[in-house]
Amino acid sequence: NLGTPLTLYKPTIIAADDITPSQFLSLDRQYLQGMVLAQTGRTSHTLILARSFGIPVLSGIELEALQQLDDKDVFIDAQFGVLVTEPSDDVRHYFAVAMQLEEKNRIRQLKMADLPAVTRDGRCLAIGANIGTAQEAPAAFTHGAEGVGLFRTEMLFMDRDKAPDEQEQFEAYQQVLMNADNHPVIFRTMDIGGDKELKCLDLPSEMNPFLGYRAIRISLNRPDIFKVQLRALLRASAFGDIHIMYPMIASVEEVKQANDMLSECKTELAAEGKDFNKDIKVGIMIEVPAAAVISPILAKYVDFFSIGTNDLCQYTLAVDRMNEAIGSLYQPLHPGVLRLIKHVIDASHEQGKFTGMCGELASDPVATMILLGLGLDEFSMTASSIPLIKNILRSVSKAECEEVANKALTMDTAEEITEYAKSVLAEKGLL
Ligand code: PEP
Ligand code: MG
């Protein structure tokens, strides 16, 4: 395991058992070329962050193999899961050509990135970016985002000894709005716990941190921290189009309590003569199966839903998102997960609300037609995936996707659904 923050002096691929999100953020990314990890699952926050910064990662590599990599010349291809040590000249040449092709492809996609995501039959989808720092915002918009569908505010709290105070948070949120150039931003209140530990909060160590003291549970228990964040977000809302979103909601009571604290903050700010958007939109993440099931009830209390498939999949299938050893059981297109997604979208639409998705499934081209067919309103993802997903959305009709989604819902297994969705894409030359 990596110990204290690591300084890099030359182009480096890090090989480690695991690396935490805050360790990743503290790395000198100027020299970070890639990572090879033993344990980390595909939807761990370290991998999500790495994707967002364009750092290729191979995970699920055995510890013994990792130890052999020290000080060797190493090439990795994260897309095809390839690792080569001490490459021959031919292999070096292959990688050089592959990287050039990749770059050409990226530039070609970027040229189309600004076109709106309108299907052939005229359905316009909202496209958001998932980011955790203000610096990521400009790249999100050059990749074709129309807003920030998920700002992971907990990143502001990481790798520091003291939580940021109201003024510091206010300035950070304002900076995000400025970098987002007047596009709407959905700020998710801090989602601490799980694989995101904080030095500045003395969190207890737990047997099952993803099922424990995490996200909204911490916020509701610590109004001293939560209200500081809500006040900062409200103050920033005077300067741009901010939506607030609560993570890991499992019950109506949690939404009510969070909203009560938000109301208290509004009252305080009004009394202090501070500006804020009185009609700020408030939504919740749907990532706990119970929340998905009671979405018709929850829809009464919020303006929007955003489906967090990274957690929804882990909780529904009882498969730890961090554990690569059971990675094959982590199936976001499992019929059980798909039915929950449909239920949530239908519930929101029946009450005139909208549903987005900010889990990694929104960036999986294999899922795009199914999600569009189920009626998803917004796709939010890592910036680099946006051009590809927009291109698929522009190449299909909503009507044909409804047929695809309906057929997928008749299938028995994730594998059947995946193969079917791939075959439809391949027929259209989109895979
Ligand atoms: C999710 O669970 O899908 C999500 C977007 O939240 P996070 O990955 O930050 O847990
Ligand atoms: Mg989540």
Side-chain angles (χ1 to χ4, degrees), residues 45 188 191 214 285 287 308 310-311 321:
H45 286 96
R188 175 177 76 183
D191 181 13
R214 186 186 169 195
M285 300 221 23
E287 38 191 0
N310 306 339
D311 279 313
R321 66 191 266 191

Side-chain angles (χ1 to χ4, degrees), residues 172-243:
Y173 302 144
Q174 249 189 334
Q175 186 65 49
V176 177
L177 287 173
M178 257 155 57
N179 290 10
D181 207 15
N182 289 326
H183 296 280
V185 180
I186 300 178
F187 284 96
R188 175 177 76 183
T189 59
M190 46 188 191
D191 181 13
I192 302 159
D195 59 340
K196 289 173 283 195
E197 40 182 58
L198 289 194
K199 267 196 277 175
C200 63
L201 252 187
D202 204 11
L203 295 177
S205 74
E206 296 174 293
M207 291 280 283
N208 293 300
F210 275 103
L211 297 178
Y213 191 48
R214 186 186 169 195
I216 197 69
R217 298 172 183 179
I218 299 182
S219 295
L220 295 178
N221 193 38
R222 292 292 303 266
D224 54 323
I225 299 172
F226 191 40
K227 282 183 66 180
V228 169
Q229 176 165 48
L230 293 176
R231 281 177 56 102
L233 285 169
L234 282 168
R235 283 174 56 200
S237 73
F239 297 86
D241 189 0
I242 283 186
H243 299 194

Side-chain angles (χ1 to χ4, degrees), residues 45-83:
H45 286 96
T46 301
L47 259 66
I48 289 172
L49 275 170
R51 269 196 289 277
S52 162
F53 286 99
I55 308 289
V57 184
L58 278 186
S59 63
I61 308 290
E62 285 180 7
L63 264 180
E64 264 177 38
L66 282 177
Q67 277 146 10
Q68 321 277 322
L69 298 178
D70 240 7
D71 280 333
K72 294 242 171 74
D73 231 2
V74 172
F75 277 82
I76 59 172
D77 182 330
Q79 195 186 348
F80 295 108
V82 176
L83 182 150

Side-chain angles (χ1 to χ4, degrees), residues 368-376 398 400-403 405-406:
T368 310
M369 290 183 74
I370 295 176
L371 296 174
L372 171 60
L374 291 177
L376 192 70
K398 168 99 192 304
E400 70 178 323
C401 289
E402 279 169 6
E403 277 177 34
N406 284 337

Side-chain angles (χ1 to χ4, degrees), residues 151-165:
F151 186 93
R152 290 183 162 99
T153 60
E154 58 276 8
M155 300 299 165
L156 290 172
F157 293 71
M158 281 190 181
D159 208 29
R160 48 188 296 156
D161 297 323
K162 204 166 167 285
D165 64 16

